[in-house]
Amino acid sequence: MRIETIKSVVAAAVFATIATGASAATVVIGATPGDSSVLNPLAVSETVGGTEFRNRNWENITNGDGGTNPWGAGGGVYSSVGKYSSMTYSFANSDSLSFLWGTPDGGNNGLSLSFGGANTLDLTAAASSLNIPSSATGVYVTISDIGYFDTVTFSSEQRAFEYAALSTTPVPLPAALPLLLAGLGGLGMMRRKKKTS
């Protein structure tokens, strides 16, 4: 078997391991994080619909221009997706997403996760569908059991989708993978050495 073929087989096996995941999402409501000054990552792309003031996207602001501050009256750093707009973030391969949700709107907030361009989860984040009181402000949610993803898109149909403390849980490489790759590298070196003898 040629080394290039072995590399292809290993790459396909690694992708299948990472890409396979559970399909049912679990949503857990937790305690609000303590540090309200931590910045969200910067979006890698965005869409902006229309020209109204509320159609703007805001990244890492502390004033009220982008909607209701998820941290409440005390304020803190947050981001906001405007009306008919979206912001997309890129992460290392992850399997859990956490954020402080400003105002869970009834069906107006959208959340989409994908892996390698293929959709993993498309959630119209209606508060009722996630068992979050619609009157709540600043709800810290962790969404897991969604399979692996490397892209997260927040979108809004009305007003804004405000969020803070955005983080993911990266997926570690399988423990045996470095050993497998080292072994294959050793086989390749032995084969090359044998050819030159």
Side-chain angles (χ1 to χ4, degrees), residues 81-152:
V81 173
K83 183 178 179 181
Y84 306 133
S85 302
S86 68
M87 283 204 286
T88 300
Y89 299 86
S90 180
F91 294 98
N93 300 331
S94 302
D95 64 357
S96 175
L97 172 70
S98 299
F99 62 96
L100 184 61
W101 190 350
T103 49
D105 299 324
N108 296 322
N109 296 161
L111 182 62
S112 177
L113 290 80
S114 61
F115 181 82
N119 190 49
T120 301
L121 172 72
D122 204 346
L123 174 69
T124 299
S128 58
S129 68
L130 300 177
N131 297 319
I132 297 171
S134 59
S135 61
T137 299
V139 179
Y140 189 67
V141 296
T142 297
I143 304 173
S144 58
D145 298 327
I146 47 182
Y148 301 118
F149 61 90
D150 55 15
T151 305
V152 176

Side-chain angles (χ1 to χ4, degrees), residues 1-4 6-7 181-195:
M1 186 179 270
R2 294 179 46 203
I3 296 300
E4 291 78 20
I6 292 173
K7 288 179 184 175
L181 294 176
L184 290 173
L187 287 173
M189 289 175 56
M190 287 174 49
R191 183 173 173 94
R192 189 173 300 161
K193 188 174 181 179
K194 188 176 179 181
K195 275 187 173 181

